[in-house]
Amino acid sequence: MEFLAEYGSFLLKVVTLVVAVLILVGGIVSIAARNKKSSDGELVIKKVNEELEDNKDQLEYAVSSEGELKALEKQRKKEDKEKEKKEKKLAKTAPDPAVARKKRVYVIDFDGDIRASDVELMRKEITAILTLAEKNDEVVVRLESGGGMVHSYGFGASQLKRIRDRGIHLTVCVDMVAASGGYMMACLADRIVAAPFAIIGSIGVVAQLPNFSKVLKKYDVDYELFTAGEYKRTVTMFGENTDKAKEKFQADLEETHDLFKHHVKHHRPRVDIEAVATGDIWYGVQAIDHKLIDEVGTSDDYLVAACDNADVYTVRYEFKKTLQEKLGFAVQVGFERAVTRVLTSLQNQMQSKG
């Protein structure tokens, strides 16, 4: 009996502790949910000019002798004085701050998976930039994508169009790949800069799905599909696809391809659309001959050169981590991301000449 009493007392303490923990976690989740309503993320902004200067100073300090460092410090002070004089002179001749301010270049990154998931971040970054950017400014998008879902990349292209509609110069830099949906977005730019071996193009539409109807028949499994509307469902993974259904599905693909071609031709009228809209891809050094891009080069060189005449800022929106992610319980999110990565990897393998 004494053992049972001690066991009961111990069990009661455990239950009490578990209940207390659940109440505490519930309270934290409630607070986190309230906080998320007010703000689900924040902008992270860095000035590229300052980062370049800091890197240069660190390198100079590491490789220069004591005498060289003294000479550099003397030269730097002289340059600072001359810069200060120029700024004062500019302020006198242009008292209006809006006239005096330098051009600004805003840099955002788009790393596209098969679902174009980065569009959610990009739309917030573009919205923020458009509250401040002026027509003399520029937006640079470092874009990497092998394409994916048509509607997702169409929405991504619509976000970039917001920049063009405001009369702000848009440049897209491609270091590795802008194919299919990626090029659908890139072609909206006033200027496209691509690395020599970046993959460009794939102006086409593809759809593929397995069909298990023979397997189901083999094991005497019936598959019933009920629809209202002749074309509510054309081809299916489990039923037997008729010739009429296949023809309709192919017609839908052709219609999407025509829309894609019209989109590219509208934004890059110099392109011979019938010659490039074959689904083929080209390296950057070849793409310039087809007028798919405007310049061969890397995003690094483009931004370093921009720092000579403008203030260059990277703009990135970061979502705050939820309580579940902080506690390590985001299994579903992790699984979804893993699946997306696999599908994106398969998609990117299709966009290769190797």
Side-chain angles (χ1 to χ4, degrees):
M1 293 294 292
E2 184 178 349
F3 169 77
L4 291 175
E6 289 179 355
Y7 180 78
S9 177
F10 170 76
L11 188 61
L12 183 61
K13 290 178 181 178
V14 171
V15 171
T16 303
L17 180 61
V18 170
V19 171
V21 170
L22 290 175
I23 293 173
L24 178 61
V25 171
I28 295 173
V29 170
S30 177
I31 294 171
R34 287 199 299 269
N35 289 340
K36 189 173 181 180
K37 288 179 182 178
S38 60
S39 176
D40 58 358
E42 61 183 2
L43 286 173
V44 178
I45 302 161
K46 294 182 180 179
K47 190 172 183 178
V48 177
N49 310 65
E50 294 176 352
E51 288 185 327
L52 288 175
E53 285 296 322
D54 289 344
N55 292 338
K56 178 184 176 183
D57 291 344
Q58 291 180 39
L59 189 58
E60 283 181 342
Y61 184 80
V63 303
S64 302
S65 65
E66 186 175 344
E68 289 173 330
L69 287 173
K70 287 182 179 179
L72 286 170
E73 183 63 25
K74 186 176 180 181
Q75 178 65 24
R76 191 172 287 118
K77 287 181 179 179
K78 182 180 178 181
E79 290 174 354
D80 289 342
K81 287 182 179 179
E82 290 177 354
K83 183 179 179 181
E84 187 178 351
K85 287 181 181 178
K86 286 182 180 179
E87 288 176 349
K88 288 181 178 178
K89 185 177 180 181
L90 182 63
K92 289 180 180 179
T93 56
D96 185 355
V99 177
R101 92 161 172 82
K102 291 174 67 175
K103 172 185 175 181
R104 290 174 183 159
V105 176
Y106 300 97
V107 185
I108 60 179
D109 291 299
F110 179 85
D111 187 5
D113 57 26
I114 197 167
R115 299 189 304 173
S117 304
D118 262 11
V119 170
E120 287 303 312
L121 299 175
M122 188 179 69
R123 67 193 298 192
K124 291 180 179 291
E125 293 159 356
I126 291 174
T127 297
I129 290 169
L130 292 181
T131 63
L132 193 62
E134 300 177 358
K135 290 190 176 181
N136 186 48
D137 296 330
E138 179 182 1
V139 176
V140 175
V141 180
R142 292 184 291 198
L143 186 148
E144 304 295 341
S145 175
M149 297 178 179
V150 175
H151 60 281
S152 299
Y153 277 90
F155 185 56
S158 298
Q159 291 299 317
L160 297 185
K161 187 174 182 295
R162 295 171 60 199
I163 300 170
R164 292 288 304 271
D165 289 345
R166 290 284 293 273
I168 298 169
H169 188 87
L170 173 63
T171 299
V172 168
C173 292
V174 183
D175 289 325
M176 289 183 285
V177 57
S180 193
Y183 191 74
M184 180 187 289
M185 292 177 62
C187 72
L188 271 124
D190 295 288
R191 188 168 190 80
I192 303 176
V193 180
F197 289 94
I199 292 174
I200 305 295
S202 190
I203 304 172
V205 183
V206 63
Q208 53 188 340
L209 74 163
N211 185 268
F212 300 99
S213 61
K214 292 181 180 180
V215 176
L216 295 177
K217 285 182 179 179
K218 180 179 178 180
Y219 292 98
D220 295 324
V221 177
D222 291 329
Y223 175 74
E224 303 290 348
L225 179 66
F226 302 93
T227 62
E230 184 179 1
Y231 298 121
K232 179 60 181 178
R233 176 71 68 226
T234 52
V235 296
T236 172
M237 292 175 59
F238 301 104
E240 186 174 351
N241 294 317
T242 64
D243 290 340
K244 184 177 181 181
K246 292 177 183 178
E247 289 174 4
K248 171 59 178 171
F249 192 73
Q250 182 63 42
D252 290 341
L253 291 182
E254 296 292 345
E255 183 179 359
T256 304
H257 189 210
D258 288 339
L259 290 172
F260 193 177
K261 291 194 294 184
H262 177 76
H263 172 81
V264 175
K265 184 65 178 178
H266 176 72
H267 294 288
R268 294 191 69 83
R270 293 184 299 151
V271 169
D272 182 352
I273 195 63
E274 296 304 325
V276 299
T278 60
D280 200 0
I281 54 177
W282 294 270
Y283 293 122
V285 289
Q286 301 168 323
I288 195 167
D289 294 330
H290 292 282
K291 298 180 176 57
L292 292 168
I293 66 172
D294 302 290
E295 179 182 340
V296 176
T298 65
S299 63
D300 309 275
D301 287 335
Y302 188 85
L303 294 179
V304 169
C307 287
D308 292 336
N309 302 303
D311 290 329
V312 182
Y313 300 90
T314 59
V315 180
R316 186 176 75 255
Y317 191 88
E318 291 185 351
F319 284 111
K320 294 178 181 177
K321 289 185 177 180
T322 64
L323 178 65
Q324 289 84 353
E325 289 172 323
K326 291 179 180 178
L327 294 176
F329 294 144
V331 177
Q332 181 180 354
V333 173
F335 177 75
E336 289 177 353
R337 288 176 179 171
V339 171
T340 299
R341 282 197 296 269
V342 170
L343 294 175
T344 302
S345 178
L346 293 172
Q347 173 74 6
N348 289 341
Q349 287 177 17
M350 295 172 62
Q351 313 294 358
S352 174
K353 283 183 174 290

